[in-house]
Amino acid sequence: MEDIIKELEKRREQAKLGGGQDRINAQHSKGKLTARERIDLLLDEGSFEEYDMFVEHSSTDFGMEKNKIPGDGVVIGSGQINGRLVFLYVKDFTVFGGSLSLAHSKKINKIQDMALKNNAPLIGVLDAGGARIQEGIDSLGGYSEVFQRNVLASGVIPQISLIMGPCAGGDVYSPALTDFIFMVRDTSYMFVTGPDVVKTVTNEEVTADELGGADVHTTKSSVADGAYNNDIDMLSDIRRFIDFLPSSNIQSAPIKETSDKASRSETSLDYLIPENSNTPYDIKEFIIKAIDEGDFFEIQPNFAKNIVVGFGRIEGYTVGFVGNQPLNLAGVLDSDASRKAARFVRFCDSFSIPIVTFVDVPGFLPGTDQEYGGLIKNGAKLLYAYAEATVPKVTIITRKAYGGAYCVMAPKHLRGDINYALPSAEIAVMGAKGAVEILYRKDIGDEDKIDKHTSEYEERFLNPFVAAERGYIDDVIMPRNVRPRIAKALKLLRNKKLSNPWKKHDNLPL
Amino acid sequence: MFRKILIANRGEIACRVIDTCNKLGIDTVAVYSEADSRALHVMKAKESVNIGLAPSSESYLVIEKIINACKNTGADAVHPGYGFLSENASFVNQLEREGITFIGPPSEPIRVMGDKIESKIFAEKSNVNIIPGHQEIIKDSEEALEISKKIGFPVMIKASAGGGGKGMRIARAEEDVEDAFNSSVNEAKSSFGDDRIFIEKFIEKPRHIEIQILADNHGNVIHLGERECSIQRRNQKIIEESPSPFVDEKLRNEMGEQAKRLASTINYASAGTVEFIVDQDKNFYFLEMNTRLQVEHPVTELVTGIDLVEEMIKIASGEELKLRQDDIKFNGWAIESRIYAEDPERNFMPSTGRLNSYITPINIDNIRNDTGVYEGGEISIYYDPMISKLCSYGKDRNEALLKMEIALNHHYINGIRNNINFLTAIIRNENFISGDINTGFIDVEYPEGYRPFVNDDKFALLFAIAGTYLYTIDEFRLRNQNRNNSFFEKSLVAVIEDSVFEFKTYDRQDNLIIEYNDEVITIDSSYEPGKPLASISINGEEYHFKIEKIINGYNISSYGFSSDVKILSKRAYELSKHMIAKDVRSNEKIIKCPMPGLVVSIDVNEGQEIDIGDKLCTIEAMKMENVIRSEVSGIIKKIHCKGGDSLASDEIILEFS
């Protein structure tokens, strides 16, 4: 018995060393932490429970039978983040470059199954060289087993992927199926085919960072939701992120106690919207001053900046915020913005997180670029997302709510629960200039008449009253009271019950 | 007495004049440009009149519009504040023709004293000490060089119509003259439309001390003592005090007598200021006379108890001064800090935009805050970037300084770069505290510019303790709810730049204990997460901090310092040594416009090789020419704009390869 315990200790020590000290040093010299170090920082101290530490691969091809390392390139287990259970798999680059073998994929499957069964978030840390070529089809099959489980868990538990090194080929699709992807600048990249293949096939010269670095995926491709400067910053901020999320779709997010009163009003917001309706302002100020302690976790802050999405809290409860951003393209809806917001709204709805929408949108972006790029179906995604959502929906029209974009941005007509307008709201089919040119085509050229029509139109439509008269707006509120009014609305909606007709699943215009 | 006064100004001074009018029961009219329609002075005044477009040349400087506003509102007098039309003789004459009283001196002293050359000749004739120099107009840089050599270096090259530091340059050696002369001419031309330049001896380590006078239309002139205004950046005052730590009774009397003599000789009537340069041997020389209310007048008001605006109004209405020189008593000490929207870390570049947060220290005794903005208001690109004037009063200089420090530590601004940390650093600077100051103080004390990182052992530790405390409060909140056992122990490391502090924290239900070097630190605070200000009592002593949350910690500012305080678990700290510092240099390859402004000149060409410190271009913003120098050496790859272009903030000017 004692021998076995000694052997166990020995094996544990060996497993913990992964690919050995040289490989660990190599990992460190790139500015990257090892799998176990990352776990130390991600989880509450001492809370990690590891499984399958002694798993080895069973490959016998290419001399692999002589080359076995316990753990086989991935560390799995459970632990706590601020006292809450999470499951995780963390690729170990020091062991076979973190490559995926059959045994490796089975470990991931095991933790995926445990997370789903126990209703707790799954965090995957990727830093790996792709498929283990020596294992051939077993490796490919292993990938698909992982993907299948990602899909089944989607919408049941939050799944988060942290890209902390290479992530290429088969490895990229599991993150792509999860809810959120975060990357580390300079040390991580993601692509389906790497620079070498790109060079061979298309003769295009590109570095790994240019092809799939954190900046590319957070600004151009929108594959990733956020980027961090290094491992430590990322792991610390992911702890903060997890605090916003419920553990599963049958639990609610933790309530974070706060001394920030729901009744806090902000007179400075009365002066946020400029007098000239063509002058931009930062919609984020509404969000940040509305939420508890100004603690906002923005998703995709550097992509489609014309729409802002992210998580905050009101009276301790997690809320998803969406806001058209006048600072960027006047807050117009284009394909990118629609897709970004649609995905966010659907995440919130999946996990019963109420949605608060700030609307200042001049319409959809016109042009061949947009139409050729499928603006109709991309815009429809956001429309679909808002329409199908059954969570509490509170909407505040801050300024423009024009045309088709009004129809999309969580109006009363898409089962908006509480719809407010600020006094500066302009709810109309379009702006005065455009409208007058259509309504009074014959007067074009007669400046006096056009001016008269314009001011008539402005007086009649560019205010919140027409909508309020029809009940499309529940109330006109002062900007300073945005926080107290949202808080009240969300409080009364806390027990909202609404369900959609039974269906196998919906058919979102992908 | 007047029934209704129109204030031909904006910002804090308009608000300040309105306050006195309210006190005297006089109605007020504000004027405002389109950029100011929501400004505080408009809200405070009983009536307000829109006088045009945002540029002051189309609003606040247009005499006709001001006069029309008076007529339309029935205002019978105009207070001009400072700047704008306050020293415009023609404005005074036109008001007079319309039967509207100008609350200020007659036009003749304004005209004479408004001309740097004529004023000196007049001062010399009035037996007021003047500085050696060449008072004739200089036609070009060659002549400037000749004259400079004659006077002897260093010399000061100045715009004749200049003021407020605009159009002023020092040449310390022959090779500086050409640049200095040209810059002065350009700035003078753009700011005043008058490019006349003169040169005078530059006095080493001079102090700038000025005498406040009051004169009425009945021949009475008194002085209200001095103000020391030696703390200047770019020749513009930022900290003023009264009295001066350098001035004794004898010097005060001598300066006061000369100031009074000058005022009498020129038939002055109103509040006015005679500025002197004082050298290290207490010789003083006439610099100029400001025929208006000065920005820094509150310090005089605090030590004399006299409301200068009230006196100006009474004098303008024809009343005789009730005060005699013997009535003037100086009590205590007052200090003013000018809070500017500017970045002391980037050569005081102006900053504009919205005041997202604006928390002023109004609930502190003996603090006066003259401001023209409010939270949510704008600092506009069109006008002076001063946000407020924070004044403290104490029975002596030390008490006033201490009050000022507390007030600055309670003053929080977010959304706009500002000089609060820098002002605090000066207030705490040993040489400043000892009174050993001169107009070169900032250049000498902060030769590399001001860097706010906490570099003082005591404060580094205090910042570390504060950061650890904040972290523990923030971090433990969620955990306490989710955790069953209520005892918790953790080793934390606070990292500030290269300094490292290790703490042990114990959380027993509501009782939080922090240990440093095995000693328990007693901490008490009413800190509320999310609030930017926290007072934390550490081992019985109370400290005030400004806090912004960052990843892994907090940015903490106070006491003239501002640093990121990273709070890591011991494990994270051990592992942090593997992190590779991000190369920030890549960002410096792109030179962006630091504020919205106009490109005056691009001084480099594509392909040119550049050294650190080389002049790249000049951007004019808020009427100041800002020279942008290279922070790197390299080759210019591409220039994105040309002279005359208008640039937004962060627009790319040029790129290095």
Side-chain angles (χ1 to χ4, degrees):
Chain A
M1 186 68 180
E2 227 166 79
D3 286 355
I4 290 182
I5 292 170
K6 265 196 190 135
E7 171 70 13
L8 182 65
E9 289 304 316
K10 205 183 99 195
R11 279 181 171 231
R12 271 198 208 286
E13 283 316 303
Q14 196 200 347
K16 280 185 182 161
L17 265 182
Q21 197 56 49
D22 288 352
R23 293 268 164 83
I24 291 175
N25 292 347
Q27 180 84 347
H28 285 162
S29 70
K30 288 181 201 144
K32 299 196 295 180
L33 299 179
T34 66
R36 286 193 166 73
E37 288 165 349
R38 285 167 175 165
I39 292 167
D40 283 351
L41 300 192
L42 182 59
L43 299 180
D44 295 348
E45 226 171 299
S47 71
F48 183 52
E49 285 243 338
E50 184 170 349
Y51 315 121
D52 287 356
M53 191 186 232
F54 309 114
V55 162
E56 290 177 351
H57 69 76
S58 48
S59 173
T60 53
D61 292 321
F62 305 101
M64 283 301 280
E65 70 277 8
K66 285 180 228 124
N67 191 2
K68 294 191 175 190
I69 301 173
D72 205 36
V74 64
V75 181
I76 64 165
S78 69
Q80 296 189 337
I81 292 182
N82 283 327
R84 287 199 306 147
L85 177 67
V86 296
F87 290 89
L88 65 166
Y89 70 90
V90 181
K91 300 241 179 186
D92 186 349
F93 194 78
T94 68
V95 178
F96 304 123
S99 61
L100 185 128
S101 68
L102 181 62
H104 178 124
S105 69
K106 283 196 181 306
K107 283 181 73 172
I108 298 176
N109 295 160
K110 181 188 258 186
I111 212 70
Q112 287 180 302
D113 292 342
M114 287 177 82
L116 187 59
K117 198 169 8 175
N118 296 298
N119 286 306
L122 177 70
I123 300 170
V125 175
L126 289 106
D127 178 6
R132 193 160 316 154
I133 295 163
Q134 296 90 333
E135 298 214 1
I137 188 75
D138 276 347
S139 172
L140 296 183
Y143 272 125
S144 290
E145 295 279 351
V146 174
F147 302 156
Q148 179 65 62
R149 284 167 176 79
N150 282 135
V151 172
L152 293 179
S154 181
V156 184
I157 52 168
Q159 300 181 85
I160 294 160
S161 302
L162 308 180
I163 316 299
M164 306 187 77
C167 182
D171 274 343
V172 300
Y173 283 109
S174 171
L177 295 167
T178 63
D179 298 303
F180 298 99
I181 297 177
F182 296 96
M183 297 180 74
V184 183
R185 291 192 186 94
D186 297 342
T187 49
S188 80
Y189 50 82
M190 287 181 90
F191 33 66
V192 178
T193 46
D196 295 344
V197 180
V198 169
K199 169 87 173 127
T200 315
V201 176
T202 69
N203 222 13
E204 191 184 356
E205 293 240 21
V206 65
T207 65
D209 201 50
E210 285 165 356
L211 187 60
D215 286 338
V216 169
H217 287 312
T218 51
T219 61
K220 288 199 175 82
S221 75
S222 82
V223 165
D225 297 287
Y228 294 93
N229 278 340
N230 59 50
D231 285 17
I232 292 179
D233 281 1
M234 174 191 262
L235 296 166
S236 152
D237 212 38
I238 293 304
R239 290 172 59 84
R240 174 179 155 245
F241 180 50
I242 289 284
D243 288 346
F244 281 100
L245 305 181
S247 293
S248 73
N249 65 349
I250 54 164
Q251 285 152 286
S252 51
I255 299 159
K256 188 168 185 178
E257 68 175 66
T258 180
S259 48
D260 197 353
K261 291 197 177 62
S263 60
R264 170 170 56 82
S265 71
E266 291 279 348
T267 51
S268 63
L269 291 177
D270 287 351
Y271 311 104
L272 176 56
I273 297 172
E275 292 190 315
N276 180 340
S277 71
N278 292 323
T279 308
Y281 63 92
D282 189 355
I283 198 79
K284 262 193 245 179
E285 194 174 327
F286 270 121
I287 299 174
I288 286 168
K289 288 188 173 168
I291 59 180
D292 293 353
E293 302 169 21
D295 188 10
F296 185 51
F297 193 98
E298 191 172 351
I299 299 295
Q300 298 200 338
N302 295 315
F303 178 76
K305 288 182 179 177
N306 38 334
I307 205 155
V308 174
V309 301
F311 299 100
R313 293 185 190 85
I314 302 255
E315 293 196 271
Y317 291 84
T318 296
V319 178
F321 286 89
V322 179
N324 307 111
Q325 175 58 288
L327 280 186
N328 216 282
L329 296 172
V332 76
L333 279 177
D334 58 5
S335 284
D336 287 347
S338 304
R339 282 194 297 116
K340 170 178 165 181
R343 183 162 169 78
F344 180 76
V345 167
R346 281 169 60 88
F347 176 84
C348 291
D349 190 46
S350 304
F351 290 97
S352 304
I353 297 170
I355 299 160
V356 171
T357 307
F358 285 96
V359 182
D360 186 351
V361 61
F364 279 100
L365 184 62
T368 49
D369 256 18
Q370 287 295 317
E371 298 292 355
Y372 295 175
L375 178 63
I376 295 172
K377 284 217 167 171
N378 285 316
K381 285 173 190 162
L382 181 56
L383 173 55
Y384 196 107
Y386 270 123
E388 77 174 329
T390 55
V391 290
K393 290 185 281 195
V394 177
T395 302
I396 299 110
I397 298 175
T398 62
R399 194 164 64 179
K400 295 168 192 165
Y402 288 170
Y406 163 78
C407 305
V408 170
M409 294 303 296
K412 201 79 190 164
H413 327 277
L414 297 181
R415 301 189 293 182
D417 293 300
I418 305 283
N419 292 58
Y420 291 128
L422 303 184
S424 46
E426 304 173 359
I427 304 160
V429 175
M430 58 178 74
K433 193 173 166 288
V436 166
E437 280 172 7
I438 293 167
L439 292 172
Y440 301 98
R441 195 166 297 230
K442 61 176 176 11
D443 294 337
I444 292 176
D446 185 338
E447 248 181 64
D448 290 347
K449 276 191 179 163
I450 290 289
D451 282 353
K452 187 169 156 279
H453 296 320
T454 306
S455 56
E456 273 172 14
Y457 184 91
E458 282 172 351
E459 206 171 307
R460 179 73 186 114
F461 293 110
L462 298 191
N463 59 53
F465 300 120
V466 183
E469 284 160 14
R470 284 164 173 71
Y472 301 159
I473 293 299
D474 295 301
D475 197 3
V476 180
I477 64 171
M478 284 302 287
R480 71 175 73 186
N481 292 329
V482 156
R483 175 177 164 86
R485 297 300 291 263
I486 293 175
K488 271 191 194 162
L490 290 174
K491 198 168 192 173
L492 73 90
L493 292 168
R494 225 159 260 165
N495 295 315
K496 176 185 173 185
K497 287 261 184 304
L498 180 65
S499 53
N500 294 333
W502 184 92
K503 51 184 89 172
K504 188 172 174 218
H505 67 67
D506 55 41
N507 188 16
L508 169 87
L510 281 175
Chain B
M1 185 48 72
F2 309 112
R3 280 180 303 102
K4 192 186 270 188
I5 292 176
L6 180 141
I7 298 101
N9 215 303
R10 62 179 301 283
E12 65 85 17
I13 193 61
C15 295
R16 190 253 166 277
V17 173
I18 291 169
D19 286 343
T20 291
C21 291
N22 288 343
K23 187 174 83 180
L24 299 176
I26 301 169
D27 286 349
T28 51
V29 181
V31 292
Y32 64 96
S33 74
E34 278 175 10
D36 274 341
S37 55
R38 291 171 168 185
L40 189 60
H41 74 281
V42 179
M43 297 179 185
K44 286 186 82 159
K46 200 163 175 193
E47 288 171 75
S48 59
V49 180
N50 180 335
I51 51 162
L53 299 175
S56 41
S57 58
E58 304 197 32
S59 48
Y60 297 105
L61 286 172
V62 183
I63 294 174
E64 198 190 331
K65 289 185 175 176
I66 304 289
I67 289 178
N68 283 339
C70 289
K71 285 184 184 164
N72 293 338
T73 55
D76 47 2
V78 170
H79 195 297
Y82 52 73
F84 295 133
L85 295 171
S86 64
E87 292 173 289
N88 185 319
S90 151
F91 179 51
V92 179
N93 289 331
Q94 290 185 51
L95 281 174
E96 202 172 323
R97 276 201 291 278
E98 300 290 341
I100 301 163
T101 310
F102 177 74
I103 302 174
S107 65
E108 187 57 12
I110 294 180
R111 191 190 63 73
V112 174
M113 290 301 149
D115 188 298
K116 286 223 149 70
I117 296 171
E118 216 179 313
S119 67
K120 271 195 195 157
I121 297 167
F122 191 91
E124 197 173 13
K125 276 194 285 192
S126 317
N127 284 324
V128 173
N129 308 345
I130 63 155
I131 308 175
H134 181 89
Q135 307 302 350
E136 317 281 299
I137 306 294
I138 293 155
K139 62 177 194 297
D140 57 25
S141 63
E142 276 160 42
E143 193 188 347
L145 183 60
E146 283 313 303
I147 291 161
S148 302
K149 283 198 230 166
K150 253 184 251 160
I151 296 171
F153 287 97
V155 297
M156 171 79 95
I157 299 177
K158 274 185 180 180
S160 175
K166 285 163 193 160
M168 251 203 242
R169 293 289 186 279
I170 298 162
R172 292 195 175 275
E174 289 182 21
E175 60 264 30
D176 297 341
V177 172
E178 189 178 337
D179 250 12
F181 181 81
N182 291 336
S183 300
S184 291
V185 168
N186 287 341
E187 233 173 74
K189 219 188 263 174
S190 74
S191 294
F192 318 111
D194 175 353
D195 61 358
R196 289 175 302 154
I197 295 294
F198 73 102
I199 298 182
E200 65 188 17
K201 174 90 182 156
F202 178 67
I203 302 212
E204 287 291 354
K205 290 191 164 189
R207 298 178 83 114
H208 178 125
I209 298 172
E210 60 192 26
I211 300 288
Q212 175 71 52
I213 60 129
L214 274 178
D216 65 13
N217 291 301
H218 307 274
N220 301 305
V221 185
I222 57 171
H223 77 82
L224 303 185
E226 77 282 2
R227 290 186 291 259
E228 164 102 44
C229 310
S230 297
I231 305 298
Q232 307 181 355
R233 55 112 183 91
R234 290 176 159 199
N235 284 319
Q236 201 159 36
K237 303 159 188 171
I238 55 171
I239 294 178
E240 300 101 335
E241 57 188 308
S242 183
S244 159
F246 191 62
V247 173
D248 51 33
E249 182 111 24
K250 178 168 164 281
L251 185 57
R252 180 173 303 124
N253 288 337
E254 282 173 21
M255 291 173 76
E257 283 314 307
Q258 288 203 8
K260 277 157 65 173
R261 187 152 69 229
L262 185 65
S264 298
T265 321
I266 202 154
N267 291 322
Y268 198 82
S270 190
T273 298
V274 182
E275 297 192 337
F276 293 100
I277 285 287
V278 183
D279 73 14
Q280 296 296 307
D281 304 317
K282 296 195 173 164
N283 298 311
F284 61 94
Y285 308 99
F286 172 77
L287 190 61
E288 61 180 18
M289 179 170 187
N290 293 317
T291 54
R292 55 166 157 89
L293 188 66
Q294 295 273 93
V295 175
E296 60 274 21
H297 74 275
V299 290
T300 299
E301 296 186 325
L302 287 169
V303 293
T304 60
I306 293 167
D307 180 337
L308 285 167
V309 173
E310 181 180 338
E311 294 303 323
M312 286 176 84
I313 293 171
K314 286 181 174 165
I315 291 167
S317 76
E319 284 185 25
E320 195 175 336
L321 261 178
K322 290 197 181 68
L323 299 155
R324 293 291 171 266
Q325 192 64 53
D326 288 347
D327 300 329
I328 307 302
K329 298 278 182 288
F330 305 105
N331 289 315
W333 211 286
I335 297 173
E336 171 180 282
S337 297
R338 297 194 196 182
I339 317 262
Y340 274 102
E342 64 182 18
D343 189 352
E345 291 165 58
R346 282 163 81 189
N347 198 24
F348 305 104
M349 290 281 182
S351 175
T352 57
R354 181 175 156 82
L355 289 159
N356 279 334
S357 296
Y358 182 60
I359 302 173
T360 54
I362 39 169
N363 294 324
I364 300 174
D365 287 346
N366 288 329
I367 290 297
R368 166 172 168 178
N369 190 40
D370 286 24
T371 186
V373 292
Y374 50 85
E375 188 167 80
E378 294 270 339
I379 299 295
S380 152
I381 166 182
Y382 297 102
Y383 315 110
D384 186 84
M386 192 168 77
I387 298 172
S388 65
K389 303 181 319 201
L390 185 63
C391 296
S392 69
Y393 176 81
K395 65 176 191 301
D396 54 26
R397 192 164 185 266
N398 281 340
E399 198 180 287
L401 282 175
L402 191 67
K403 279 272 166 207
M404 179 57 77
E405 182 181 307
I406 293 171
L408 287 167
N409 282 337
H410 281 88
H411 200 320
Y412 178 75
I413 294 174
N414 187 17
I416 289 176
R417 309 289 294 168
N418 63 77
N419 63 344
I420 291 178
N421 286 331
F422 181 51
L423 291 167
T424 320
I426 295 172
I427 292 290
R428 294 178 50 82
N429 180 299
E430 273 177 29
N431 288 330
F432 180 83
I433 292 171
S434 72
D436 181 14
I437 53 178
N438 60 72
T439 55
F441 179 85
I442 288 173
D443 288 340
V444 172
E445 293 290 324
Y446 308 95
E448 307 291 316
Y450 164 68
R451 293 281 171 270
F453 309 119
V454 53
N455 55 7
D456 167 296
D457 288 347
K458 178 189 164 197
F459 278 95
L461 177 59
L462 287 170
F463 275 37
I465 294 169
T468 305
Y469 170 76
L470 299 170
Y471 176 89
T472 330
I473 296 288
D474 280 352
E475 178 85 352
F476 287 6
R477 264 191 301 164
L478 249 183
R479 199 170 305 188
N480 280 336
Q481 291 173 47
N482 298 324
R483 218 162 21 95
N484 297 326
N485 60 333
S486 55
F487 181 81
F488 190 78
E489 179 189 331
K490 197 162 175 150
S491 289
L492 291 175
V493 180
V495 183
I496 305 174
E497 300 285 298
D498 298 327
S499 308
V500 175
F501 306 85
E502 281 192 40
F503 297 94
K504 269 220 153 73
T505 57
Y506 305 89
D507 180 30
R508 287 169 229 242
Q509 275 147 348
D510 287 336
N511 193 9
L512 174 73
I513 295 163
I514 296 179
E515 267 183 22
Y516 177 68
N517 280 345
D518 294 328
E519 277 181 36
V520 174
I521 297 166
T522 320
I523 295 189
D524 191 26
S525 172
S526 53
Y527 165 63
E528 291 178 26
K531 292 254 167 78
L533 293 172
S535 294
I536 303 177
S537 151
I538 298 171
N539 287 335
E541 216 166 312
E542 186 158 65
Y543 297 92
H544 313 287
F545 300 101
K546 295 168 208 171
I547 309 148
E548 278 165 30
K549 184 92 185 72
I550 56 171
I551 288 182
N552 266 327
Y554 305 84
N555 178 278
I556 300 184
S557 310
S558 272
Y559 304 96
F561 303 114
S562 179
S563 279
D564 285 354
V565 182
K566 294 247 174 189
I567 308 295
L568 303 172
S569 65
K570 201 158 180 206
R571 182 77 174 129
Y573 171 67
E574 283 161 5
L575 295 174
S576 67
K577 66 175 185 285
H578 300 303
M579 298 297 101
I580 297 168
K582 288 285 173 244
D583 190 7
V584 286
R585 291 201 158 263
S586 57
N587 290 332
E588 290 169 14
K589 285 193 170 162
I590 294 172
I591 307 296
K592 290 179 181 170
C593 190
M595 67 254 148
L598 184 78
V599 182
V600 178
S601 63
I602 299 282
D603 304 288
V604 292
N605 297 309
E606 286 178 10
Q608 192 177 332
E609 208 167 309
I610 298 295
D611 263 343
I612 293 172
D614 282 359
K615 185 175 169 188
L616 298 173
C617 58
T618 307
I619 306 291
E620 189 192 290
M622 293 170 161
K623 302 223 173 131
M624 287 286 282
E625 284 197 3
N626 299 281
V627 173
I628 299 192
R629 292 182 185 278
S630 182
E631 289 174 25
V632 292
S633 51
I635 292 164
I636 305 282
K637 185 175 157 196
K638 190 167 167 48
I639 295 171
H640 290 261
C641 57
K642 57 184 190 307
D645 285 357
S646 257
L647 297 185
S649 193
D650 283 338
E651 211 165 312
I652 297 173
I653 299 172
L654 52 84
E655 275 176 70
F656 283 90
S657 50

